[in-house]
Amino acid sequence: MPQQTIPSVFVTGGAGFIGSALIRLLVTEGKYHVVNIDKLTYAGNLESLASVSKLPNYSFHQTDICDRATLDQLFAKYSPVGTIHLAAESHVDRSIHGPGDFIQTNINGTFTLLEAARAHWMSLDGEKKSGFRFHHVSTDEVFGSLGDSGLFTEENAYQPNSPYSASKAASDHLVRAWHHTYGLPTIMTNCSNNYGPYQFPEKLIPLMIHNAVSGKPLPIYGRGDNVRDWLYVDDHARALSLVFEHSSVGETWNIGGNNEKTNLEVVDTLCQLLDRHRPRTDGLSYAVQKTNVADRPGHDKRYAIDATKIQRELGWQPLETFETGLEKTVRWYLDNPEWVAHVVSGEYRNWMARNYTDRNGVQL
Ligand code: NAD
Ligand code: TYD
């Protein structure tokens, strides 16, 4: 049974990279009973939640956000005060090679979750109804690509370029429409590129660390001069918690760390950190493993976030600089090779079977 003394909150996609960081934060803070709703795709890994999963204010349900009937049961069971929605297909390269799952989860899944949340919200009254929040977690990639100057603000027009960003943009529009049309109390955040521990090693930073120490090439798309604005994942999690608690209904918030780097700068910094912490046995720099490969089709040139609004109105500031955050990240991956080995081998699904049962004691 859920703990009755504290309110429940749903986090979808809580076994993923950012969702697990948010759950580790929320469960540790202890203000909510956190209900993790995650389908456990290849990107979902319950090992990332091992530090909090035995705590009484945490529950997990292996559920697809496209499954309306189960969502209805969960809303009835927990009567959450809100839903923080992170479940998504999230990798641009995968969206180029197979967009179907992105349409299904990011668009149809968000639609299904909105409808289940709306039905729940409609059944409430008084403070429970006015206090309910549907917090949609999105990306700056919905705004498209910047030239050499300028920053994305909350007022930016949407111009998504990849199947991933188009599917996220569609979900943002659904959320906005559900507020405008039905009055569902939604809030939205659009964040820049995250990095940190527990990120699946298909994204730039963990892929480069993994490939470097495995003696594999470091594949740099095109000339490596595309720019991303990097934010340490725990800084994003703190921002999400702050927005969920304090945002007024219908607001959108940009989140970013003001850390614009070209991909080459990122890879060179990673090589320097690895040269220091885990030098190659032949004395050469990991930089010798850099390899230019064909560019990503439709590769967005530059993303950069203007985070003035959340800084000014909610007092949020990132705690990590790019240098401190990247150092922590490299050290984490070097200290946790088994986490990476499990996610690339599929062993973590066996780990899950050994360590997790559902609420009826049945092995997951
Ligand atoms: P991730 O790929 O690491 O995790 C996604 C999680 O969602 C996984 O645990 C997966 O099992 C789950 N999931 C996928 N399909 C599902 C479904 N149909 N039903 C239930 N669960 C499902 O992603 P992430 O990097 O943690 O990103 C989380 C959210 O933040 C996404 O919505 C993404 O668009 C957004 N975002 C990510 C970044 C970034 O840099 N990673 C930046 C800004 C915004
Ligand atoms: P990625 O981590 O996939 O995030 P996103 O595409 O959502 O920004 O990629 C970050 C940048 O790194 C992007 O410009 C593509 C580039 N990149 C490479 O050059 N090589 C790689 O192997 C990967 C995965 C990404």
Side-chain angles (χ1 to χ4, degrees), residues 275 279-286:
D275 289 341
R280 277 171 51 123
T281 47
D282 60 7
L284 295 175
S285 167
Y286 285 99

Side-chain angles (χ1 to χ4, degrees), residues 16-18 38-39 41 44 64-65 86 90 105 138 164 168 194:
F17 167 50
I18 301 170
D38 197 298
K39 179 182 176 180
T41 66
D64 189 330
I65 55 162
L86 297 99
S90 71
T105 286
S138 193
Y164 163 67
K168 289 296 290 188
N194 283 215

Side-chain angles (χ1 to χ4, degrees), residues 200-218:
F200 196 89
E202 64 186 355
K203 305 275 171 77
L204 178 72
I205 288 177
L207 179 103
M208 292 296 165
I209 299 171
H210 177 62
N211 278 15
V213 297
S214 309
K216 293 182 186 162
L218 308 179

Side-chain angles (χ1 to χ4, degrees), residues 57-76:
N57 63 326
Y58 171 78
S59 299
F60 169 66
H61 290 272
Q62 185 171 6
T63 299
D64 189 330
I65 55 162
C66 301
D67 176 355
R68 174 68 192 270
T70 305
L71 290 177
D72 286 345
Q73 286 168 14
L74 293 175
F75 273 108

